[in-house]
Amino acid sequence: MFHGGPVEMNRYERARMSDDDDDEQGLAWETLYDGIVDVLKRFGADDPFGNGDYLIVDDNYGHRRNIVEIHRLHMLRPEIATALRALLGDYPDWEIVVAVDIPGTETAWPRMGLIIRKHEIIDGLQREFLPEDVRKFTYPDSRPGTGYD
Amino acid sequence: MVTMRSLLAIDTSLRRLRWQLAATRFSLKLRRFATATKAGFNPDQLRDDYGRWSDGGGLSSRTGRFRSRVTDVSAARRFRPKGHHYADRQLQKQSPEMSTEVRKVFENSTTGKLLDRRSNKFDTPHRVYNDTVKDLFKGFLDKNGIDKKAKGMTAEQARSFLKEILESRDPRIRRFNMLILLREIMHHVPRWPRGNE
């Protein structure tokens, strides 16, 4: 059956020309980035090459999202997730993605992590791959999910 | 009379045209970028409240990033989403004696705002990309007899290095950049309604 329908041919251009949205997004992204830097340095060391505990992605892609890639599993501790979540108090439609990237597990482990939002935490950890102490981690207001939630 | 077969043919043609349109747009953007960097001019360069070109602030000594804390919306204009930096910002952090001109070249070498939102958020390409570009940069400095802190590197050399990144056959670099390219192209491919087959 033919299902041709209207297509948003100008969505790209419209999004590009939305200066007000970009200003708002840029301000929020920067503020949250600085907040994440302040929070995480209490728990470990930032290193973009995997020699520390985590990497905070410093490219703003334009989404309502900040990304942290963690290189040591202790960075999944619930108190760290809670501290990050507290940053989102004024940003109900933003999220902080904590993606697991342990050096040496690139091909052995599936993609996994947490998506932290003001009202919930998406728990996308694949616990069967994690050591016993990390499997026990539970997060308040969390629900199982994936990187597509 | 319009037959089902002709409708399907039109449907297929439309899909192909849309895909080609997206690819052409991306190609055009790459050409604009190449032209802009060649001439040392970037129409998207940040401007201040008076319309003058600005470099977007200095290097923060606290975080090593290119700004201090944002306090108002007008300041945010300088930090609109730029997307992925081909020469990642770690290079600038690792090269304290890099000139302002070189920093500007690297700072402006981005994909621009990305529109794809459907990819797996748990993808983690940055560490490997950073590491690989760092090695490529080290090799570039050695090859061109430039100080390891990038002291004395010219803007022209910075553009040559960007060219090396964009043309790199290293799968760790190419994979990342291609992934972004493909996601942006796929963003423009419409999802057709299903369930009435």
Side-chain angles (χ1 to χ4, degrees):
Chain A
M1 184 87 185
F2 177 73
H3 292 295
V7 178
E8 296 179 51
M9 291 294 288
N10 293 319
R11 180 172 49 180
Y12 184 86
E13 287 78 5
R14 280 206 301 273
R16 291 274 182 196
M17 294 174 70
S18 180
D19 288 350
D20 289 345
D21 285 352
D22 283 354
D23 285 344
E24 181 199 350
Q25 195 275 350
L27 175 61
W29 189 92
E30 285 288 330
T31 307
L32 280 172
Y33 180 93
D34 285 343
I36 294 169
V37 169
D38 287 343
V39 165
L40 291 188
K41 70 184 179 187
R42 304 200 314 254
F43 299 101
D46 187 357
D47 188 293
F49 309 111
N51 300 315
D53 299 287
Y54 59 87
L55 175 168
I56 307 174
V57 175
D58 58 4
D59 276 347
N60 178 1
Y61 293 153
H63 307 151
R64 291 178 176 270
R65 179 187 312 151
N66 284 66
I67 304 169
V68 180
E69 296 176 359
I70 62 156
H71 304 143
R72 302 287 182 276
L73 285 172
H74 76 88
M75 294 305 294
L76 289 172
R77 291 185 340 248
E79 65 262 35
I80 299 178
T82 301
L84 290 174
R85 191 177 172 197
L87 297 171
L88 298 171
D90 294 330
Y91 304 95
D93 52 351
W94 277 71
E95 60 191 16
I96 298 171
V97 172
V98 178
V100 175
D101 177 32
I102 310 299
T105 67
E106 291 85 353
T107 55
W109 287 11
R111 294 297 178 214
M112 65 173 98
L114 306 170
I115 302 173
I116 300 169
R117 296 174 182 147
K118 181 182 179 183
H119 62 288
E120 67 175 357
I121 294 179
I122 306 293
D123 184 340
L125 298 179
Q126 309 275 326
R127 284 178 167 69
E128 61 270 31
F129 292 91
L130 301 175
E132 193 62 37
D133 55 332
V134 180
R135 286 184 197 183
K136 295 175 186 170
F137 288 165
T138 57
Y139 304 94
D141 303 319
S142 67
R143 64 177 172 88
T146 70
Y148 297 100
D149 281 69
Chain B
M1 183 178 170
V2 180
T3 64
M4 184 61 68
R5 181 172 293 180
S6 63
L7 283 173
L8 284 171
I10 293 169
D11 181 29
T12 305
S13 301
L14 276 174
R15 287 172 190 239
R16 188 179 296 120
L17 283 171
R18 287 189 189 108
W19 196 94
Q20 285 172 347
L21 177 65
T24 304
R25 279 176 173 156
F26 191 86
S27 170
L28 187 62
K29 186 170 180 184
L30 278 182
R31 287 183 187 201
R32 280 180 183 155
F33 170 73
T35 306
T37 51
K38 186 177 177 184
F41 170 74
N42 179 359
D44 294 330
Q45 186 174 342
L46 307 169
R47 291 169 188 257
D48 64 15
D49 293 339
Y50 300 97
R52 298 173 303 199
W53 285 327
S54 156
D55 65 0
L59 188 70
S60 164
S61 59
R62 188 174 65 83
T63 64
R65 300 190 67 248
F66 278 84
R67 62 171 300 270
S68 56
R69 199 175 288 270
V70 173
T71 53
D72 58 52
V73 174
S74 64
R77 285 181 183 276
R78 291 178 293 166
F79 306 108
R80 286 177 183 167
K82 291 181 175 179
H84 162 59
H85 285 73
Y86 294 110
D88 63 84
R89 288 174 156 183
Q90 305 309 323
L91 292 185
Q92 300 174 54
K93 293 178 189 175
Q94 303 283 320
S95 310
E97 297 191 26
M98 187 181 279
S99 71
T100 307
E101 287 72 24
V102 171
R103 290 180 192 278
K104 279 182 183 174
V105 171
F106 287 161
E107 194 59 19
N108 288 329
S109 65
T110 67
T111 58
K113 178 180 174 181
L114 301 180
L115 298 176
D116 167 67
R117 293 163 201 271
R118 292 185 297 242
S119 52
N120 190 336
K121 296 169 190 171
F122 298 148
D123 269 349
T124 53
H126 294 92
R127 171 176 56 87
V128 174
Y129 186 85
N130 291 349
D131 219 16
T132 313
V133 171
K134 182 181 75 173
D135 289 344
L136 191 68
F137 190 57
K138 187 173 179 298
F140 182 87
L141 295 181
D142 289 344
K143 189 170 61 183
N144 290 281
I146 303 169
D147 175 77
K148 65 180 179 182
K149 293 179 180 175
K151 185 180 181 183
M153 186 178 191
T154 66
E156 193 56 44
Q157 287 170 323
R159 284 188 276 274
S160 296
F161 178 63
L162 282 172
K163 192 165 178 285
E164 280 195 18
I165 293 177
L166 291 169
E167 294 176 355
S168 171
R169 290 183 171 274
D170 187 313
R172 294 165 297 178
I173 292 176
R174 196 163 61 166
R175 180 184 172 277
F176 192 134
N177 291 328
M178 283 300 290
L179 201 63
I180 288 178
L181 165 65
L182 288 173
R183 283 174 179 173
E184 290 302 289
I185 288 175
M186 291 307 291
H187 177 82
H188 298 282
V189 177
R191 296 291 195 268
W192 295 86
R194 301 187 61 180
N196 297 317
E197 289 90 345

